[in-house]
Amino acid sequence: MLHQAWMSISDGCECWSFLPIVNRSALAQLPSTAKLLWSIEAPSWTEANYRYYEWRGLKPYVPMDDDSGTYTPEQEDESRRLRSSFDGEGLTQS
């Protein structure tokens, strides 16, 4: 599953968003000025967060619960379909 880190500036503050690309409701809420800064393929949300925290130089990620955060085959397929609609600078309207 592809996960992406986005950043925008709002009132002088950096606003970071990290999410799997299948989370369309979260992607739709990103401001038009948001920039894609980093992408990672990971088999689970937990693994993606471990790597994201490491990339950002944060303290190690600690999951909030015992949910493995793994993805279903259907979610993986949707991720591949959505990736083809992404143009590298932002989301395209489909």
Side-chain angles (χ1 to χ4, degrees):
M1 174 74 59
L2 182 66
H3 300 77
Q4 298 177 328
W6 293 80
M7 194 271 294
S8 62
I9 305 286
S10 178
D11 295 326
C13 295
E14 288 184 359
C15 301
W16 286 82
S17 298
F18 183 63
L19 46 99
I21 67 167
V22 296
N23 189 342
R24 288 189 227 158
S25 61
L27 284 169
Q29 293 180 39
L30 291 174
S32 61
T33 58
K35 300 290 183 197
L36 175 63
L37 298 181
W38 188 70
S39 295
I40 185 77
E41 281 282 348
S44 70
W45 177 244
T46 301
E47 177 64 25
N49 273 287
Y50 282 127
R51 296 176 68 189
Y52 171 70
Y53 275 54
E54 180 179 42
W55 174 74
R56 292 275 319 266
L58 303 172
K59 292 181 179 181
Y61 174 69
V62 178
M64 295 178 70
D65 56 29
D66 293 331
D67 183 0
S68 67
T70 56
Y71 301 107
T72 66
E74 293 79 17
Q75 289 170 314
E76 290 287 342
D77 289 343
E78 184 178 6
S79 174
R80 286 192 258 314
R81 283 193 304 276
L82 288 174
R83 182 181 319 188
S84 67
S85 69
F86 181 73
D87 66 13
E89 293 296 322
L91 295 175
T92 58
Q93 298 298 320
S94 36

